[in-house]
Amino acid sequence: MRKEDFFEVLGELDDDITKEAKTAMKKKMNWQTWGAMVACLVLVLSVGVFVFHTHQNGNITIEPSVADVVPMVYMNDKLYRQSSDQQSYSELKDEFIYLGQILTDITSDQSDSTNGVPKENFQANHPIVGCEVYQYGENIVVKIKDAYWLYTKYGESEMN
């Protein structure tokens, strides 16, 4: 069939039939378009949630470990936890009293601890062996990679 023949046949069609066909085609196309867009959106959100969840947790399965516990140090028969209120303590180092260095961490020897809580003096529940420990009032300060981190006394009621 040549182009001219095709256009001639189209010209003989009634306008009502042509309008009806266009309307039916538009409705079908809109439904398909919306369906495809919704399917894509669901796919993108599913992948996004999976990737975000995996990125946040490191892997899909989460098992409790020492890393899930707040960083703590056991010093002078007291337990101290790392403060979330950090500031620069470098200017205050003249007020610090040197106590010693962290000797062990419970990540390397789990038999000494339960639930990631240090039990021996100069012990931490995170890998900071060799870091210097200073007394600062009622609290302690630990020098980790040239920065001073405040550890506040962990109360008896909080330990249970």
Side-chain angles (χ1 to χ4, degrees), residues 69-83:
V69 178
V70 175
M72 296 182 196
V73 171
Y74 196 75
M75 185 66 49
N76 294 333
D77 299 319
K78 293 182 182 105
L79 187 61
Y80 297 86
R81 67 190 262 171
Q82 191 176 50
S83 173

Side-chain angles (χ1 to χ4, degrees), residues 11-157:
E12 293 175 8
L13 289 176
D14 189 21
D15 288 337
D16 292 336
I17 294 172
T18 311
K19 285 181 185 178
E20 224 175 276
K22 283 183 182 179
T23 306
M25 185 65 120
K26 269 190 176 180
K27 284 183 183 177
K28 186 176 182 184
M29 196 178 288
N30 282 337
W31 180 85
Q32 287 178 341
T33 303
W34 280 105
M37 287 190 332
V38 168
C40 288
L41 181 63
V42 168
L43 179 65
V44 167
L45 288 176
S46 298
V47 169
V49 167
F50 177 76
V51 169
F52 178 75
H53 178 71
T54 303
H55 176 71
Q56 289 294 98
N57 299 316
N59 45 22
I60 297 170
T61 56
I62 301 171
E63 297 178 17
S65 67
V66 173
D68 296 334
V69 178
V70 175
M72 296 182 196
V73 171
Y74 196 75
M75 185 66 49
N76 294 333
D77 299 319
K78 293 182 182 105
L79 187 61
Y80 297 86
R81 67 190 262 171
Q82 191 176 50
S83 173
S84 59
D85 181 28
Q86 287 297 326
Q87 55 182 325
S88 174
Y89 290 95
S90 298
E91 301 85 37
L92 303 171
K93 64 183 175 186
D94 293 337
E95 299 175 34
F96 299 163
I97 300 168
Y98 180 75
L99 298 174
Q101 293 183 338
I102 301 294
L103 301 175
T104 60
D105 65 34
I106 62 170
T107 57
S108 62
D109 184 14
Q110 292 295 320
S111 62
D112 293 12
S113 67
T114 56
N115 299 325
V117 178
K119 298 288 186 194
E120 298 176 12
N121 280 325
F122 295 98
Q123 186 181 46
N125 69 344
H126 55 296
I128 58 170
V129 173
C131 290
E132 298 173 349
V133 181
Y134 300 90
Q135 188 75 44
Y136 177 62
E138 289 186 0
N139 302 313
I140 62 171
V141 174
V142 179
K143 184 178 181 183
I144 305 171
K145 295 182 182 178
D146 297 324
Y148 294 94
W149 294 86
L150 178 68
Y151 285 70
T152 58
K153 205 183 287 186
Y154 193 57
E156 293 296 319
S157 62

